[in-house]
Amino acid sequence: MASKQMVHMNQGQGERSYARNSGIQNAQQNRMKLLIERAIIDLCSSTLLPDKMVIADLGCSSGPNALALVSVAVEAIHGYCLQFQQPPPELCVFLNDLPDNDFNTVVKSLVTLRRINDPVVLTGVTPGSFYERLFISSSVHLVCSSSSLHWLSKPPEFLTRNQIPAYYIDEHARRENLPMVLEAYAQQFRNDFRHFLELRAKELVPGGQMVVSIIGRHSDGIAPFHIWDILAQVLSLMASEGVIDKAKFDSFYVPVYGPSKEDLREIIQDEGSFSIKEFLVHDFLSDLDSALVTPSWIANQIRAVYEQIVVQHFGDVMDEFVRIAERRWNLDGSLLQEEHAGLAMLTLSVAKA
């Protein structure tokens, strides 16, 4: 099942597309800007300024966010060279995501990085999973990744093999099994994130830097580790009302885990290839206009991210999903805040040790 899941955002530029429904991710990228600029200063000033630099964004998706991080890095390099009157290096920028990503839109936007009379900026796309090797050894100077590493390489095999639901419709069963489900997801994340660090350590140059953001949670306790909890709650309502099949709901596994700050720190220190430079934690919906965060807006944000994986499993049910979600949240507005409680945006920069 895991190898066949379509994990990509809604494509194109329409009203349901990720390009028009990625405000949360955009807010997180804005928080990463300062850390990227500091990483560039470290790269440019720690040794002799290299004459060639490679920058990669892993999990770039599509739409206006696709170039945001690499553009910050390119501008920071140009600014540093102007300030210190250094010849700018030739730059190569790579954008990565899974092969089903809307790369047609991405490629069209890459031309904006090539500006008249500026130093050479070569661009390219690298389709593939960031849980695999993507670049040759010791070739990349800066890796960025925003709102992507909470996606796992696959759902926890312990759950899928033993047909244990990730989310029970019955609240008592859900609470009773939550510690077991949590540990299965946590173990999958530990394996995946450690492997990600090992791969990037091979690809980065000595002293290379990474700036990443991950959707996670504030505490290291049990609740809530499902960052797709808000999706699951609406789907469970649909199953209870007969809109979707209960057996199908029980076999639905979203390959996503929300780590805590403690999770990340422990894995990074245990793996040993990187040292943590900065670590920031923000509320999930902070920096967003509260007037913008309406039931309709949240439903469309969720749809843009999860529609493909939901439709693959349940069929064309997303119109009904949006209708039920909006009904639920309009009847009790506090539910919308409660279902985001505990979620956090984790942003960190690390350097190759």
Side-chain angles (χ1 to χ4, degrees), residues 105-315:
T105 302
V106 172
V107 169
K108 290 176 183 177
S109 63
L110 280 173
V111 68
T112 61
L113 288 176
R114 297 168 176 261
R115 297 173 298 181
I116 299 174
N117 298 325
D118 272 349
V120 174
V121 180
L122 300 179
T123 58
V125 296
T126 309
S129 169
F130 47 55
Y131 295 122
E132 300 171 352
R133 280 291 299 270
L134 296 169
F135 309 105
I136 60 175
S137 299
S138 300
S139 63
V140 182
H141 294 77
L142 175 67
V143 167
C144 302
S145 181
S146 175
S147 303
S148 296
L149 282 166
H150 54 279
W151 286 97
L152 305 173
S153 64
K154 60 182 179 180
E157 189 174 342
F158 173 77
L159 300 182
T160 58
R161 184 179 64 247
N162 294 293
Q163 299 182 338
I164 300 171
Y167 193 97
Y168 287 80
I169 295 176
D170 178 74
E171 185 174 352
H172 175 73
R174 184 163 65 248
R175 291 182 180 276
E176 188 175 73
N177 288 278
L178 186 56
M180 175 181 58
V181 175
L182 167 61
E183 178 53 32
Y185 269 90
Q187 185 59 53
Q188 184 65 52
F189 179 81
R190 285 192 290 268
N191 293 342
D192 283 345
F193 191 58
R194 182 186 180 92
H195 187 52
F196 174 87
L197 294 173
E198 292 170 346
L199 295 173
R200 304 295 82 81
K202 292 176 182 178
E203 296 166 348
L204 283 162
V205 300
Q209 312 258 336
M210 287 203 299
V211 179
V212 303
S213 73
I214 303 177
I215 302 174
R217 66 192 195 281
H218 283 286
S219 72
D220 205 21
I222 286 180
F225 80 95
H226 278 319
I227 61 174
W228 51 276
D229 190 73
I230 192 169
L231 169 73
Q233 290 198 27
V234 176
L235 289 173
S236 70
L237 272 179
M238 295 171 68
S240 299
E241 296 177 7
V243 178
I244 58 176
D245 183 73
K246 287 185 179 181
K248 279 198 169 185
F249 179 77
D250 286 343
S251 63
F252 182 58
Y253 303 92
V254 179
V256 163
Y257 175 77
S260 67
K261 181 178 180 179
E262 292 79 9
D263 287 335
L264 294 180
R265 187 180 298 278
E266 180 181 334
I267 297 168
I268 292 168
Q269 291 175 345
D270 182 65
E271 193 277 329
S273 296
F274 295 91
S275 59
I276 299 174
K277 296 168 56 188
E278 295 187 70
F279 208 138
L280 308 176
V281 180
H282 297 89
D283 288 338
F284 184 64
L285 296 179
S286 64
D287 297 340
L288 287 171
D289 183 352
S290 59
L292 179 69
V293 184
T294 63
S296 176
W297 186 83
I298 289 290
N300 283 323
Q301 298 281 311
I302 294 171
R303 182 174 195 160
V305 172
Y306 292 112
E307 179 161 15
Q308 300 304 317
I309 199 170
V310 169
V311 168
Q312 184 187 22
H313 191 77
F314 296 106

Side-chain angles (χ1 to χ4, degrees), residues 53-122:
M53 293 183 71
V54 176
I55 302 164
D57 183 340
L58 308 187
C60 67
S61 193
S62 59
N65 293 345
L67 293 184
L69 301 182
V70 294
S71 296
V72 170
V74 169
E75 290 296 333
I77 293 168
H78 290 165
Y80 180 91
C81 293
L82 284 173
Q83 180 180 355
F84 293 99
Q85 298 182 337
Q86 297 284 330
E90 295 182 351
L91 301 178
C92 187
V93 172
F94 289 106
L95 299 180
N96 154 265
D97 214 311
L98 293 172
D100 285 329
N101 184 52
D102 186 7
F103 280 113
N104 286 333
T105 302
V106 172
V107 169
K108 290 176 183 177
S109 63
L110 280 173
V111 68
T112 61
L113 288 176
R114 297 168 176 261
R115 297 173 298 181
I116 299 174
N117 298 325
D118 272 349
V120 174
V121 180
L122 300 179

Side-chain angles (χ1 to χ4, degrees), residues 291-349:
L292 179 69
V293 184
T294 63
S296 176
W297 186 83
I298 289 290
N300 283 323
Q301 298 281 311
I302 294 171
R303 182 174 195 160
V305 172
Y306 292 112
E307 179 161 15
Q308 300 304 317
I309 199 170
V310 169
V311 168
Q312 184 187 22
H313 191 77
F314 296 106
D316 190 10
V317 299
M318 287 308 291
D319 285 343
E320 190 67 8
F321 173 91
V322 170
R323 186 188 68 79
I324 291 176
E326 290 184 10
R327 181 193 70 193
R328 171 182 168 84
W329 299 327
N330 280 319
L331 286 174
D332 187 351
S334 65
L335 285 174
L336 199 55
Q337 296 301 320
E338 290 174 7
E339 290 169 4
H340 284 94
L343 293 183
M345 285 291 194
L346 311 178
T347 308
L348 65 156
S349 62

